[in-house]
Structure formats: C-alpha cells, structure tokens
Amino acid sequence: MCSARVSFFSRIFASMKEINWGFIGCGDVTEKKSGPAFNEVAGSKIVAVMSRSENKARSYAERHHVPKWYTDAQQLIDDPDVNAIYVATPPSSHATFAIMAMHAGKPVYVEKPLAATYDDCVRVNRISEQTGVPCYVAYYRRYLPYFQKVKDIVKSGVLGKIVRVQIRLTSPLDLDTSAGKPLPWRLQPEIAGGGLFYDLAPHQIDLLQEIFGVITEASGICANRGGYYSAEDSVSACFLFENGLPGSGSWCFVVHPSAKEDCIEITGEEGTLCFSAFSFDPITLTTSEGTSTFDIPNPTYVQQPIIKAVVEALQGIGDCTSTSESATSVNWVLDRILGKF
C-alpha cells in the first residue's frame, strides 16, 4: 500500500485507541496461532466471536472469556462494541466477509491467502479504496524474528549479488483415506482455491516478495500424482522478480517420508543461505569463510508481532505492511502458477 494511503487510513482511524475485535470463525488457527495474541497486545481485546455452529461459538467464548458470541456474521459486524473484524474462515468466504466489514466501516484483518482467487482479491481492494477502510492480511511470517534474521542477512550483502532463489517443499501424504471420511477443506479447490500448494506456498511467496520485491512473471506445471483427491498434489514453477532475479519452486505432498523437505535457498555470488518456511530449522549461511547457523526462537503466539503492527496502524502510531494490496500480488502468482487465468 502506498504511503499516501497509509497516512490517509492513519488519520481516519487514529481515534481508535482501543481495538475491540470480533472474530468471524473460531477454528484451529484462532486457538493456537492468533486468538490469544489479540488479548496480549496493548489496546487490543476480543469482545465477540462468531461461528455457524452455536456449540462452537459458545464453547470458544466460554473457554476464552469472550463476552459475546454469534451464529450470524452480519450481527457480529453490526455489534456497536466491535470496531474491527478478524476473518478466520476458509479462503472462499474471505472476500465476502471482508467486504461486509468494510462496508460497515470496520477495518479487517484476514487470514491468508486473502481470497481463493486473484479476482476476489481485486474486489477486496476496490472496496477498501472506495470506503477508505483498511484491510490487512495474516502473512505473519514477515514479522517473526526468524525471518527478520533471514532478511537482515540478505540485506547485509554478505551473499554478494543474488543470482537464484529456489523453494523446495515436500511431505508425505497426511490424510485419513478411510471410506466415508470427509475431505479436509484445504484439499477442496472450491473452498481453498487449490490444494495444499494454495494453502502453504502463499507464505513462501509473500516472504520472498517482502525481501526481493514483486514477482512480475510466473508459470507452472501442476499434476496429481497420488490420486487421493482431485486437487493438485505436485507443482513445479518458475518466476521472475521485478529486479530481474529468477526463482523456481517445487512442491509435492505425496512423497516418501525419506524425501520430506522444507527449504528456501537463496544463492549469491559470495555464498548461500538456507532456511525453512514451516519447521524453523536453524538458518544456515555458507560463504568462503565457512558455515554459520542461527537458531532464532519465535514467540509463543506466532501472529502476535503482526497483530501488534495492525493494532498500532489502526491507532495511528505505527504501520503494517501486510495489506490487501501486497497480499493480492501473492494470489496473482499462485493463480498464474496453477493456470487459473
């Protein structure tokens, strides 16, 4: 988002000293990664939650001491005690709920990816522009100490001129294939936007764009090698950053356990940097002077740093760079790789 728009939003929402959140969706991500962090950030608290399941909404509210719960999203958005919305539903409904919130004048923090398609992301941006209400996206890795260290190493110049970036993510099948067992929503393209690639690759793409700039060209080959579900389980891609840096990626989610890998490799003329996107293995830097490793811990609630940035942006005392605009470029890359255009 350009600095002018950031300043515009800051002026509008500078009076929001207390950010009172309403959650649309209260699934696993709100239990472990994000939910508790909203109450840990100064000037932020959860005042209402919503789930289509009455039992789920009531249970979450009781267990986390949230004053109100709803089974209707519009009722939660219309609650006068709620002045900001967290959308934690599957991607296919992200755009709808984000737009509902912005039309009500309430800033939004949306789980990643911003939507299940690039076109829906464009819709979100259009409404944000028209209403003047900001929309932020939960690409929280860019705010974690582990990845801040990666960025610092790259920016230090120790690698020399960067000549190549490569993503490798492979894992065995993690799916109960028992007869009659429902397919997880992350494997249903109409809900998730694709398969596990659409769920996991966004974090990797966002990180790399945060470090190297926007990807301006992308293409890919997709396949289903396992036959366990209809979505792609294997993807190979190549892409080009705006600065001319080439990159490639390989994702496969039906490999033998011996082939499991989580690695992003940044190669320069003076060295190589390797790190993981999900397992947080020690960062490895190799140059002519030898190999160094960095074991960087992350906070208990991994979304707390970005939630703090969102809250401070809404209070007019800080900034959050993970906006709907930056997130839209991630979906553009994903959809180009999957051939959805």
Side-chain angles (χ1 to χ4, degrees), residues 79-93:
D79 186 325
D81 292 331
V82 172
N83 61 11
I85 304 297
Y86 171 38
V87 178
T89 58
S92 61
S93 59

Side-chain angles (χ1 to χ4, degrees), residues 168-243:
R168 300 189 298 275
L169 182 63
T170 55
S171 62
L173 177 70
D174 183 16
L175 176 67
D176 186 346
T177 57
S178 303
K181 190 74 174 181
L183 199 64
W185 65 259
R186 287 179 173 83
L187 298 178
Q188 300 181 48
E190 67 276 13
I191 298 175
L196 290 176
F197 168 79
Y198 218 86
D199 182 51
L200 299 175
H203 277 303
Q204 300 164 313
I205 299 299
D206 179 73
L207 275 171
L208 293 178
Q209 291 196 129
E210 169 73 358
I211 296 172
F212 298 113
V214 174
I215 291 172
T216 56
E217 296 182 34
S219 61
I221 296 175
C222 311
N224 185 305
R225 301 299 295 161
Y228 299 102
Y229 44 82
S230 62
E232 76 289 337
D233 59 26
S234 302
V235 177
S236 293
C238 59
F239 42 89
L240 185 73
F241 294 90
E242 60 183 346
N243 64 2

Side-chain angles (χ1 to χ4, degrees), residues 125-197:
N125 285 326
R126 184 182 305 118
I127 299 303
S128 180
E129 186 77 37
Q130 291 172 353
T131 61
V133 180
C135 177
Y136 302 99
V137 184
Y139 283 116
Y140 59 86
R141 278 171 169 76
R142 60 166 69 186
Y143 280 89
L144 289 178
Y146 180 95
F147 299 107
Q148 290 285 332
K149 181 63 176 179
V150 169
K151 186 176 181 179
D152 288 345
I153 292 172
V154 173
K155 298 301 182 183
S156 74
V158 68
L159 297 174
K161 182 179 181 180
I162 307 300
V163 295
R164 186 190 71 157
V165 175
Q166 186 178 69
I167 301 171
R168 300 189 298 275
L169 182 63
T170 55
S171 62
L173 177 70
D174 183 16
L175 176 67
D176 186 346
T177 57
S178 303
K181 190 74 174 181
L183 199 64
W185 65 259
R186 287 179 173 83
L187 298 178
Q188 300 181 48
E190 67 276 13
I191 298 175
L196 290 176
F197 168 79

Side-chain angles (χ1 to χ4, degrees), residues 4 7 13 102 127 209 220 234 274 278 313 318 338:
S7 299
F13 295 99
M102 289 187 289
I127 299 303
Q209 291 196 129
S234 302
C274 297
F278 304 100
L338 291 184

Side-chain angles (χ1 to χ4, degrees), residues 68-84:
K68 303 179 185 180
W69 57 268
Y70 296 94
T71 57
D72 181 88
Q74 190 65 61
Q75 289 181 353
L76 177 136
I77 291 170
D78 291 339
D79 186 325
D81 292 331
V82 172
N83 61 11

Side-chain angles (χ1 to χ4, degrees), residues 264-282:
I264 298 179
E265 187 175 86
I266 300 173
T267 305
E269 292 181 334
E270 304 295 333
T272 300
L273 183 67
C274 297
F275 61 99
S276 60
F278 304 100
S279 56
F280 301 116
D281 297 330

Side-chain angles (χ1 to χ4, degrees), residues 240-254:
L240 185 73
F241 294 90
E242 60 183 346
N243 64 2
L245 174 65
S248 63
S250 177
W251 298 260
C252 186
F253 304 103
V254 289

